[in-house]
Amino acid sequence: MKQRITILGATGSIGQSTLSVLALHPERYELFAVTAHGNVAAMAEICRTYQPQYAVMANPQAAEQLREHLTGLQITVLAGDENVAAVAAATEVDTVMAAIVGAAGLLPTMAAIKAGKRVLLANKEALVMSGQLFMDAVARYQAELLPIDSEHNAIFQCLPPAIQQPLGSADLAAAGVHQILLTGSGGPFRELPLTELSQQTPAAACNHPNWSMGQKISVDSATMLNKGLEYIEARWLFHCKKEQLQVVIHPQSVIHSMVSYQDGSVIAQLGQPDMRTPIAYALGYPERIESGVAPLDFLTLGALTFMPADPQRYPCLQLAIDACWAGQWATTALNAANEVAVQAFLAGQILFTGIAETCDAVLQQLHPTELTSIAELLVHDQDARQRAQQYVKRVAS
């Protein structure tokens, strides 16, 4: 029997890569639903090509336009965030690809968790924002969580089977794990003189040397806030202690992450910088299925190099590491402030270095507080966004 798939965020890069893998296995998978925010043209093309039962646009006006594009096709078009969550939790669905970028992905991803689905988690903000609450829900509703970020997927592959399921509660030390090594390329400004960072444009920040990604995640890679969010995510996914988690710069993006064991062994996952590999691994788990990605040719690979992350060059990374151990209030606020700051940078309102400055300013304004529900998290998130917007206005004026 075919597995029925819902893709949250189908028009983004992860969504497109997921569709590419599904197309290689029509005998195994059936596309139940796809969602997007407002990209009508891309969604219409997806619907014509893959014929899902449902297409959901979070933007109601975009849904109306999509209906016009799909006249004559047997595809039900729905609108609104509530319907995005509905197709994630639908009883017909087996697997949900959670690929909505940013805080907007939290509620539909949580809907899939509460429905006990197999959730392929590409939305790192869900864990950054809700951490323990998210992992508690995975356990309570007996959902199956599989990480899609290339780094977390690599770590997952390098861990013993006893730790892989369920995630979030294993004792790493008891399983012989010494440390998890989270690799990152260092982004496009890795070798740029520090004095030139403030002058960098959105186009330069989005010109990643190894990966093809959307604007927001590309800017996050340039600041390495993306790696900081992954650090926070890894803490919750793999139940890490501070001393068990380290970030390493690896410019070639060939080793996607590593696990160091107490006997001195280090197990690494290597591959092309192509998201179809972790997507295929998660879709087929515990089997391995074709992804469409060629294996590495070690005879032409060249040198693999490593270096520490400089906190002066990557202040956003250090903010994230500090926030990770400060508490949920800090990681939620950092994520919210960063989303506002990146949008302001892309709009030309602040300098590249203003992203870290905005995030730091918001964290400095807030005080530790316990957040015990998703509703409280969302209120805290909005407060941080408003503070970030106010800071951006002051800087821009």
Side-chain angles (χ1 to χ4, degrees), residues 109-187:
T109 303
M110 189 63 83
I113 293 295
K114 290 182 177 180
K117 305 300 182 185
R118 169 179 275 201
V119 176
L120 314 187
L121 187 66
N123 171 272
K124 61 178 61 64
E125 291 83 1
L127 265 178
V128 169
M129 288 180 66
S130 61
Q132 191 64 61
L133 291 172
F134 189 93
M135 297 309 296
D136 287 347
V138 171
R140 178 181 177 185
Y141 295 101
Q142 298 183 320
E144 184 180 15
L145 191 63
L146 295 168
I148 295 299
D149 270 351
S150 61
E151 295 80 5
H152 302 105
N153 190 273
I155 294 163
F156 184 90
Q157 293 191 47
C158 294
L159 288 171
I163 294 181
Q164 289 182 336
Q165 292 296 336
L167 288 177
S169 59
D171 186 334
L172 292 178
V177 174
H178 167 248
Q179 195 173 51
I180 285 172
L181 302 166
L182 195 64
T183 60
S185 71

Side-chain angles (χ1 to χ4, degrees), residues 261-313:
Y261 285 85
Q262 293 171 358
D263 64 1
S265 301
V266 178
I267 298 179
Q269 189 268 337
L270 288 73
Q272 304 283 4
D274 192 315
M275 288 306 298
R276 290 176 296 172
T277 296
I279 289 167
Y281 178 83
L283 279 170
Y285 180 82
E287 299 177 53
R288 289 185 183 268
I289 63 174
E290 183 183 353
S291 67
V293 180
L296 289 173
D297 181 352
F298 283 89
L299 298 182
T300 62
L301 197 56
L304 302 180
T305 58
F306 308 90
M307 62 195 72
D310 179 3
Q312 285 189 291
R313 184 176 299 279

